Amino acid sequence: MKNAVISTKTDWISIVDQCGYYNQSQLIHDFKYYMNISPTKFLKFQNDICGSKTM
């Protein structure tokens, strides 16, 4: 069974719109400033930590 984060593609345009950003670049800049990591790397890290692994 695949993890939902891996099997679905992140809709960055929708996130940008919902969060009130002007564009994706602005979102990435703020995310890196506050989190010290890119949004894509954060999602991968979150998936690695929180994702369930089946054997």
Side-chain angles (χ1 to χ4, degrees):
M1 177 179 223
K2 282 188 172 184
N3 190 317
V5 174
I6 294 174
S7 63
T8 61
K9 195 168 187 171
T10 304
D11 183 4
W12 292 111
I13 301 303
S14 177
I15 294 170
V16 166
D17 184 51
Q18 289 176 16
C19 294
Y21 282 96
Y22 179 72
N23 59 27
Q24 186 175 348
S25 178
Q26 183 186 15
L27 169 71
I28 293 168
H29 177 270
D30 282 357
F31 199 94
K32 284 182 178 180
Y33 179 81
Y34 290 107
M35 300 294 291
N36 201 29
I37 190 172
S38 74
T40 303
K41 287 182 181 179
F42 174 81
L43 289 177
K44 183 184 180 325
F45 173 74
Q46 181 184 31
N47 184 58
D48 290 348
I49 298 300
C50 300
S52 63
K53 307 232 188 253
T54 58
M55 294 184 155

